[in-house]
Amino acid sequence: MLIEDAIAMLQLHEIPGKAAKMRAHYKVERVYWGLTTPVLDDHARQWRQELSLEERLQLACDLWGSNAHEGRICAAKLLTQARIRPDDSAAWQLLQNWLADVDCAAICDHLCLAGHRRLSADLARMDQMEAWPQSPHLWTRKAALSMTLPWAKMRDPNAVNLPIRERALEWAAELAEDPSKIIQQAVAEWIYELSRKSPERAQRFLDTHGHKLRNAARKDASRKLPPPL
């Protein structure tokens, strides 16, 4: 599929005036098409079904390269699925390459949803993420937590998943001292989700590392936990 055809298909669903509102909301200078998330979901689903893997990877590259807000989100959605056959290594590499370009929360969130699926498909990829918490790039640091957030939501992680959760908690402990409000919120969200499934482990994290967090983040992280005596 040619990128021009894909963009034309998407732009048929433009909502008048929405692009200007999106530009004002996200405050990032780029093209906005004024589309809704369901439109992107529908087209990404259709293209995942109809295109070969090679065609889909090329379309995803072209959509990301458009630098349009919805184009980049749709690119990530093209790679958001449990299994990519016969081999998802090219998709994982694309997501890593794109991460350096991320500059807003919405695009980061969609990229991390795709990244979680690729990480779940091969947990050894955690090794490739090891340096992310130290990255000078804000959104790469956030991605270290966002891509691993589903492990915070596991009630009883098994012998395979427990080490992933503990490794992510090591990154959370490191990032708890990060001065960025975005990172503080990401740590708080991770511990909050953990507290819903494993309150004892969340409390242990806060007892050890809670002093590193700002007051607001610490409060958010502990809002499901019993108040201290």
Side-chain angles (χ1 to χ4, degrees):
M1 173 176 287
L2 296 176
I3 181 62
E4 295 82 4
D5 295 333
I7 292 175
M9 291 174 67
L10 290 169
Q11 289 181 323
L12 286 173
H13 303 278
E14 176 184 359
I15 298 176
K18 184 175 177 63
K21 292 179 180 178
M22 293 174 69
R23 182 176 292 105
H25 174 75
Y26 290 112
K27 298 180 175 63
V28 177
E29 190 54 41
R30 61 163 38 96
V31 174
Y32 295 85
W33 294 333
L35 306 179
T36 64
T37 298
V39 165
L40 300 177
D41 286 336
D42 290 344
H43 281 78
R45 185 183 306 109
Q46 177 183 345
W47 291 334
R48 287 198 304 266
Q49 294 171 351
E50 295 177 351
L51 300 179
S52 69
L53 176 57
E54 182 179 0
E55 292 170 331
R56 186 150 35 102
L57 291 171
Q58 184 59 57
L59 179 58
C61 283
D62 292 340
L63 284 168
W64 187 270
S66 73
N67 196 29
H69 180 84
E70 296 94 329
R72 291 196 160 182
I73 288 176
C74 196
K77 287 180 177 293
L78 282 172
L79 306 184
T80 306
Q81 61 188 103
R83 295 176 180 84
I84 295 181
R85 295 187 175 95
D87 180 12
D88 72 343
S89 56
W92 171 244
Q93 187 60 55
L94 275 182
L95 293 169
Q96 291 184 89
N97 294 345
W98 293 346
L99 185 55
D101 299 330
V102 171
D103 53 9
C104 81
I107 293 175
C108 184
D109 289 344
H110 286 282
L111 186 147
C112 287
L113 286 173
H116 159 62
R117 297 297 182 88
R118 307 281 56 80
L119 179 57
S120 295
D122 184 356
L123 296 179
R125 288 170 174 157
M126 285 286 285
D127 293 340
Q128 300 173 47
M129 298 168 60
E130 189 63 39
W132 291 12
Q134 300 91 37
S135 173
H137 182 231
L138 168 66
W139 301 103
T140 297
R141 301 198 302 278
K142 183 179 187 299
L145 296 177
S146 295
M147 282 192 193
T148 57
L149 184 61
W151 279 271
K153 300 177 181 180
M154 294 181 180
R155 185 175 300 278
D156 295 304
N158 59 25
V160 173
N161 288 304
L162 184 59
I164 303 299
R165 189 180 80 175
E166 290 303 311
R167 195 167 182 182
L169 279 167
E170 291 176 5
W171 295 348
E174 183 176 353
L175 289 167
E177 295 182 296
D178 195 300
S180 167
K181 183 178 179 180
I182 289 170
I183 302 301
Q184 290 282 310
Q185 290 173 337
V187 175
E189 180 184 15
W190 217 103
I191 303 307
Y192 168 74
E193 292 295 345
L194 179 65
S195 74
R196 299 175 66 192
K197 304 298 183 182
S198 182
E200 299 84 0
R201 184 65 185 92
Q203 187 63 64
R204 185 150 44 96
F205 177 92
L206 290 173
D207 289 345
T208 305
H209 304 288
H211 66 280
K212 303 175 186 177
L213 290 166
R214 294 181 180 177
N215 289 338
R218 187 167 59 250
K219 183 177 180 181
D220 283 346
S222 62
R223 62 187 188 272
K224 279 287 184 180
L225 295 173
L229 297 176

